[in-house]
Short mmCIF file of all heavy atoms in Angstrom, two decimals:
data_model
loop_
_atom_site.label_atom_id
_atom_site.label_comp_id
_atom_site.label_asym_id
_atom_site.label_seq_id
_atom_site.Cartn_x
_atom_site.Cartn_y
_atom_site.Cartn_z
N VAL A 23 -55.86 -17.36 63.43
CA VAL A 23 -55.93 -16.63 62.17
C VAL A 23 -54.77 -17.05 61.28
O VAL A 23 -53.61 -16.95 61.66
CB VAL A 23 -55.88 -15.11 62.42
CG1 VAL A 23 -55.83 -14.35 61.10
CG2 VAL A 23 -57.08 -14.66 63.25
N LYS A 24 -55.10 -17.54 60.09
CA LYS A 24 -54.07 -18.02 59.18
C LYS A 24 -53.89 -17.11 57.96
O LYS A 24 -52.93 -17.25 57.22
CB LYS A 24 -54.42 -19.42 58.67
CG LYS A 24 -54.40 -20.49 59.74
CD LYS A 24 -54.75 -21.84 59.12
CE LYS A 24 -54.82 -22.93 60.16
NZ LYS A 24 -55.48 -24.14 59.61
N GLY A 25 -54.87 -16.24 57.73
CA GLY A 25 -54.75 -15.40 56.54
C GLY A 25 -55.68 -14.21 56.57
O GLY A 25 -56.59 -14.12 57.41
N ILE A 26 -55.43 -13.28 55.64
CA ILE A 26 -56.25 -12.08 55.48
C ILE A 26 -56.77 -12.09 54.05
O ILE A 26 -55.98 -12.26 53.11
CB ILE A 26 -55.41 -10.82 55.73
CG1 ILE A 26 -54.86 -10.82 57.16
CG2 ILE A 26 -56.23 -9.56 55.45
CD1 ILE A 26 -53.77 -9.77 57.38
N VAL A 27 -58.07 -11.91 53.87
CA VAL A 27 -58.67 -11.95 52.55
C VAL A 27 -59.19 -10.56 52.18
O VAL A 27 -59.93 -9.94 52.95
CB VAL A 27 -59.81 -12.98 52.48
CG1 VAL A 27 -60.38 -13.04 51.06
CG2 VAL A 27 -59.33 -14.35 52.92
N ILE A 28 -58.78 -10.10 50.99
CA ILE A 28 -59.15 -8.76 50.52
C ILE A 28 -60.31 -8.86 49.52
O ILE A 28 -60.30 -9.72 48.63
CB ILE A 28 -57.94 -8.08 49.83
CG1 ILE A 28 -56.73 -8.05 50.77
CG2 ILE A 28 -58.31 -6.68 49.33
CD1 ILE A 28 -56.91 -7.20 52.00
N HIS A 29 -61.29 -7.95 49.69
CA HIS A 29 -62.48 -7.91 48.83
C HIS A 29 -62.73 -6.50 48.30
O HIS A 29 -62.23 -5.53 48.87
CB HIS A 29 -63.73 -8.28 49.64
CG HIS A 29 -63.64 -9.58 50.37
ND1 HIS A 29 -64.14 -10.75 49.86
CD2 HIS A 29 -63.11 -9.89 51.58
CE1 HIS A 29 -63.94 -11.74 50.74
NE2 HIS A 29 -63.31 -11.23 51.78
N TRP A 30 -63.53 -6.39 47.25
CA TRP A 30 -64.13 -5.11 46.89
C TRP A 30 -65.60 -5.18 47.27
O TRP A 30 -66.18 -6.29 47.31
CB TRP A 30 -63.96 -4.77 45.41
CG TRP A 30 -64.79 -5.58 44.43
CD1 TRP A 30 -65.11 -6.92 44.51
CD2 TRP A 30 -65.38 -5.10 43.22
NE1 TRP A 30 -65.84 -7.30 43.42
CE2 TRP A 30 -66.04 -6.20 42.61
CE3 TRP A 30 -65.43 -3.87 42.58
CZ2 TRP A 30 -66.72 -6.08 41.40
CZ3 TRP A 30 -66.11 -3.77 41.38
CH2 TRP A 30 -66.74 -4.85 40.80
N VAL A 31 -66.24 -4.04 47.56
CA VAL A 31 -67.63 -4.08 48.00
C VAL A 31 -68.58 -4.31 46.83
O VAL A 31 -69.74 -4.66 47.02
CB VAL A 31 -68.05 -2.80 48.77
CG1 VAL A 31 -67.26 -2.68 50.07
CG2 VAL A 31 -67.91 -1.55 47.92
N ALA A 32 -68.10 -4.11 45.59
CA ALA A 32 -68.91 -4.30 44.38
C ALA A 32 -70.15 -3.42 44.40
O ALA A 32 -71.21 -3.80 43.90
CB ALA A 32 -69.29 -5.78 44.20
N ASN A 33 -70.02 -2.24 44.97
CA ASN A 33 -71.12 -1.28 45.03
C ASN A 33 -70.50 0.12 44.95
O ASN A 33 -70.19 0.74 45.97
CB ASN A 33 -71.89 -1.49 46.35
CG ASN A 33 -73.26 -0.86 46.29
OD1 ASN A 33 -73.57 -0.09 45.37
ND2 ASN A 33 -74.08 -1.15 47.28
N PRO A 34 -70.29 0.59 43.70
CA PRO A 34 -69.48 1.80 43.48
C PRO A 34 -70.01 3.03 44.22
O PRO A 34 -71.22 3.26 44.27
CB PRO A 34 -69.60 2.03 41.97
CG PRO A 34 -69.95 0.72 41.40
CD PRO A 34 -70.76 0.01 42.44
N GLY A 35 -69.08 3.78 44.78
CA GLY A 35 -69.43 5.06 45.39
C GLY A 35 -70.00 4.96 46.79
O GLY A 35 -70.26 5.98 47.42
N THR A 36 -70.22 3.76 47.29
CA THR A 36 -70.77 3.65 48.65
C THR A 36 -69.67 3.87 49.68
O THR A 36 -68.50 3.66 49.41
CB THR A 36 -71.41 2.25 48.89
OG1 THR A 36 -70.46 1.24 48.54
CG2 THR A 36 -72.66 2.08 48.06
N THR A 37 -70.10 4.30 50.85
CA THR A 37 -69.15 4.61 51.93
C THR A 37 -68.93 3.38 52.81
O THR A 37 -69.70 2.41 52.77
CB THR A 37 -69.70 5.74 52.82
OG1 THR A 37 -70.87 5.24 53.49
CG2 THR A 37 -70.06 6.97 52.00
N ALA A 38 -67.90 3.49 53.63
CA ALA A 38 -67.63 2.41 54.59
C ALA A 38 -68.82 2.23 55.52
O ALA A 38 -69.24 1.10 55.81
CB ALA A 38 -66.36 2.73 55.38
N THR A 39 -69.38 3.32 55.97
CA THR A 39 -70.54 3.24 56.88
C THR A 39 -71.73 2.56 56.21
O THR A 39 -72.40 1.73 56.82
CB THR A 39 -70.94 4.66 57.35
OG1 THR A 39 -69.84 5.23 58.07
CG2 THR A 39 -72.16 4.62 58.25
N GLN A 40 -71.99 2.91 54.95
CA GLN A 40 -73.12 2.28 54.25
C GLN A 40 -72.93 0.77 54.14
O GLN A 40 -73.87 0.00 54.31
CB GLN A 40 -73.28 2.89 52.85
CG GLN A 40 -73.92 4.28 52.88
CD GLN A 40 -73.86 4.98 51.52
OE1 GLN A 40 -72.96 4.73 50.72
NE2 GLN A 40 -74.81 5.85 51.28
N ASN A 41 -71.70 0.36 53.85
CA ASN A 41 -71.45 -1.08 53.74
C ASN A 41 -71.55 -1.78 55.08
O ASN A 41 -72.09 -2.89 55.18
CB ASN A 41 -70.11 -1.33 53.06
CG ASN A 41 -70.19 -1.10 51.57
OD1 ASN A 41 -70.69 -1.95 50.84
ND2 ASN A 41 -69.75 0.05 51.11
N ARG A 42 -71.05 -1.12 56.11
CA ARG A 42 -71.19 -1.66 57.48
C ARG A 42 -72.68 -1.79 57.82
O ARG A 42 -73.12 -2.79 58.37
CB ARG A 42 -70.46 -0.74 58.46
CG ARG A 42 -70.50 -1.19 59.91
CD ARG A 42 -71.61 -0.45 60.64
NE ARG A 42 -71.84 -1.06 61.94
CZ ARG A 42 -73.03 -1.09 62.54
NH1 ARG A 42 -74.10 -0.56 61.94
NH2 ARG A 42 -73.18 -1.66 63.70
N ASN A 43 -73.46 -0.77 57.48
CA ASN A 43 -74.89 -0.80 57.81
C ASN A 43 -75.65 -1.85 56.99
O ASN A 43 -76.64 -2.40 57.45
CB ASN A 43 -75.50 0.59 57.62
CG ASN A 43 -75.01 1.58 58.68
OD1 ASN A 43 -74.43 1.17 59.69
ND2 ASN A 43 -75.22 2.86 58.45
N TYR A 44 -75.16 -2.11 55.79
CA TYR A 44 -75.76 -3.19 55.01
C TYR A 44 -75.57 -4.53 55.74
O TYR A 44 -76.53 -5.31 55.88
CB TYR A 44 -75.14 -3.26 53.61
CG TYR A 44 -75.49 -4.53 52.89
CD1 TYR A 44 -76.79 -4.79 52.47
CD2 TYR A 44 -74.53 -5.53 52.70
CE1 TYR A 44 -77.13 -5.98 51.87
CE2 TYR A 44 -74.85 -6.73 52.09
CZ TYR A 44 -76.16 -6.95 51.68
OH TYR A 44 -76.49 -8.15 51.09
N PHE A 45 -74.36 -4.79 56.20
CA PHE A 45 -74.13 -6.03 56.96
C PHE A 45 -75.05 -6.07 58.18
O PHE A 45 -75.62 -7.11 58.51
CB PHE A 45 -72.67 -6.13 57.42
CG PHE A 45 -71.67 -6.32 56.31
CD1 PHE A 45 -70.40 -5.77 56.40
CD2 PHE A 45 -71.98 -7.07 55.19
CE1 PHE A 45 -69.46 -5.96 55.38
CE2 PHE A 45 -71.05 -7.26 54.17
CZ PHE A 45 -69.79 -6.70 54.27
N GLU A 46 -75.18 -4.94 58.85
CA GLU A 46 -76.05 -4.88 60.03
C GLU A 46 -77.50 -5.20 59.66
O GLU A 46 -78.21 -5.89 60.38
CB GLU A 46 -75.94 -3.49 60.68
CG GLU A 46 -76.85 -3.26 61.88
CD GLU A 46 -76.36 -3.96 63.15
OE1 GLU A 46 -75.23 -4.47 63.17
OE2 GLU A 46 -77.15 -4.02 64.13
N SER A 47 -77.94 -4.68 58.50
CA SER A 47 -79.35 -4.84 58.10
C SER A 47 -79.71 -6.30 57.84
O SER A 47 -80.89 -6.66 57.86
CB SER A 47 -79.64 -4.01 56.85
OG SER A 47 -79.09 -4.65 55.70
N LEU A 48 -78.72 -7.15 57.61
CA LEU A 48 -79.02 -8.56 57.32
C LEU A 48 -79.68 -9.25 58.51
O LEU A 48 -80.35 -10.26 58.36
CB LEU A 48 -77.74 -9.30 56.92
CG LEU A 48 -77.07 -8.81 55.63
CD1 LEU A 48 -75.77 -9.55 55.38
CD2 LEU A 48 -78.01 -8.97 54.43
N LYS A 49 -79.52 -8.67 59.69
CA LYS A 49 -80.13 -9.27 60.89
C LYS A 49 -81.66 -9.25 60.80
O LYS A 49 -82.33 -10.00 61.52
CB LYS A 49 -79.68 -8.52 62.15
CG LYS A 49 -80.31 -7.14 62.31
CD LYS A 49 -79.81 -6.42 63.53
CE LYS A 49 -80.44 -5.02 63.59
NZ LYS A 49 -79.82 -4.17 64.60
N ASN A 50 -82.19 -8.40 59.93
CA ASN A 50 -83.65 -8.29 59.83
C ASN A 50 -84.29 -9.41 59.01
O ASN A 50 -85.51 -9.48 58.91
CB ASN A 50 -84.02 -6.93 59.23
CG ASN A 50 -83.50 -5.78 60.08
OD1 ASN A 50 -83.53 -5.87 61.30
ND2 ASN A 50 -83.01 -4.73 59.45
N GLN A 51 -83.47 -10.26 58.43
CA GLN A 51 -84.04 -11.40 57.71
C GLN A 51 -84.55 -12.43 58.73
O GLN A 51 -84.10 -12.45 59.87
CB GLN A 51 -82.96 -12.09 56.87
CG GLN A 51 -82.29 -11.19 55.85
CD GLN A 51 -81.10 -11.90 55.21
OE1 GLN A 51 -81.16 -12.39 54.10
NE2 GLN A 51 -80.00 -11.96 55.93
N THR A 52 -85.46 -13.26 58.27
CA THR A 52 -85.85 -14.37 59.14
C THR A 52 -85.22 -15.64 58.58
O THR A 52 -85.02 -15.75 57.37
CB THR A 52 -87.38 -14.55 59.16
OG1 THR A 52 -87.80 -14.82 57.82
CG2 THR A 52 -88.07 -13.30 59.65
N GLN A 53 -84.89 -16.58 59.45
CA GLN A 53 -84.17 -17.76 58.98
C GLN A 53 -85.03 -18.67 58.12
O GLN A 53 -84.50 -19.49 57.38
CB GLN A 53 -83.57 -18.52 60.17
CG GLN A 53 -82.17 -18.01 60.46
CD GLN A 53 -81.49 -18.75 61.59
OE1 GLN A 53 -82.04 -18.87 62.66
NE2 GLN A 53 -80.29 -19.22 61.34
N ALA A 54 -86.32 -18.49 58.20
CA ALA A 54 -87.21 -19.34 57.41
C ALA A 54 -87.33 -18.85 55.97
O ALA A 54 -87.73 -19.59 55.08
CB ALA A 54 -88.60 -19.37 58.04
N GLN A 55 -86.94 -17.61 55.78
CA GLN A 55 -87.11 -16.97 54.47
C GLN A 55 -86.22 -17.64 53.43
O GLN A 55 -85.12 -18.09 53.72
CB GLN A 55 -86.78 -15.50 54.72
CG GLN A 55 -86.30 -14.64 53.62
CD GLN A 55 -86.00 -13.22 54.17
OE1 GLN A 55 -86.28 -12.90 55.32
NE2 GLN A 55 -85.43 -12.40 53.35
N LYS A 56 -86.69 -17.67 52.19
CA LYS A 56 -85.89 -18.26 51.12
C LYS A 56 -84.81 -17.27 50.68
O LYS A 56 -84.98 -16.07 50.80
CB LYS A 56 -86.77 -18.59 49.92
CG LYS A 56 -87.67 -19.79 50.14
CD LYS A 56 -87.47 -20.81 49.00
CE LYS A 56 -87.99 -22.19 49.35
NZ LYS A 56 -89.30 -22.20 50.00
N ASN A 57 -83.70 -17.78 50.17
CA ASN A 57 -82.62 -16.93 49.67
C ASN A 57 -82.07 -15.98 50.72
O ASN A 57 -81.71 -14.85 50.42
CB ASN A 57 -83.07 -16.10 48.46
CG ASN A 57 -83.65 -16.95 47.36
OD1 ASN A 57 -83.13 -18.03 47.09
ND2 ASN A 57 -84.71 -16.49 46.75
N GLU A 58 -82.07 -16.40 51.94
CA GLU A 58 -81.49 -15.53 52.96
C GLU A 58 -80.01 -15.33 52.65
O GLU A 58 -79.37 -16.18 52.05
CB GLU A 58 -81.71 -16.08 54.37
CG GLU A 58 -80.86 -17.26 54.73
CD GLU A 58 -81.53 -18.58 54.40
OE1 GLU A 58 -82.19 -18.69 53.34
OE2 GLU A 58 -81.38 -19.53 55.17
N ARG A 59 -79.49 -14.18 53.06
CA ARG A 59 -78.13 -13.83 52.69
C ARG A 59 -77.24 -13.73 53.93
O ARG A 59 -77.60 -13.09 54.92
CB ARG A 59 -78.14 -12.50 51.96
CG ARG A 59 -76.84 -12.16 51.31
CD ARG A 59 -76.97 -11.05 50.27
NE ARG A 59 -75.68 -10.40 50.08
CZ ARG A 59 -74.65 -10.95 49.46
NH1 ARG A 59 -74.75 -12.15 48.94
NH2 ARG A 59 -73.51 -10.30 49.36
N TYR A 60 -76.11 -14.40 53.86
CA TYR A 60 -75.11 -14.35 54.93
C TYR A 60 -73.90 -13.57 54.41
O TYR A 60 -73.30 -13.98 53.41
CB TYR A 60 -74.68 -15.77 55.31
CG TYR A 60 -75.79 -16.61 55.90
CD1 TYR A 60 -76.71 -17.26 55.08
CD2 TYR A 60 -75.92 -16.74 57.28
CE1 TYR A 60 -77.72 -18.03 55.62
CE2 TYR A 60 -76.93 -17.51 57.83
CZ TYR A 60 -77.83 -18.15 57.00
OH TYR A 60 -78.85 -18.91 57.53
N ALA A 61 -73.58 -12.48 55.02
CA ALA A 61 -72.43 -11.70 54.54
C ALA A 61 -71.93 -10.77 55.63
O ALA A 61 -72.72 -10.22 56.41
CB ALA A 61 -72.80 -10.88 53.31
N SER A 62 -70.61 -10.60 55.65
CA SER A 62 -69.99 -9.63 56.55
C SER A 62 -68.49 -9.66 56.32
O SER A 62 -67.97 -10.45 55.54
CB SER A 62 -70.30 -9.94 58.02
OG SER A 62 -69.95 -11.27 58.35
#
Side-chain angles (χ1 to χ4, degrees):
V23 175
K24 294 181 183 166
I26 299 167
V27 182
I28 304 295
H29 306 264
W30 72 323
V31 296
N33 198 349
T36 52
T37 66
T39 298
Q40 284 170 332
N41 283 282
R42 181 263 168 211
N43 290 346
Y44 167 69
F45 292 146
E46 177 75 10
S47 75
L48 297 176
K49 73 182 178 191
N50 300 322
Q51 302 171 102
T52 60
Q53 270 182 307
Q55 155 182 353
K56 287 234 163 44
N57 306 320
E58 74 269 39
R59 191 164 156 72
Y60 296 82
S62 54

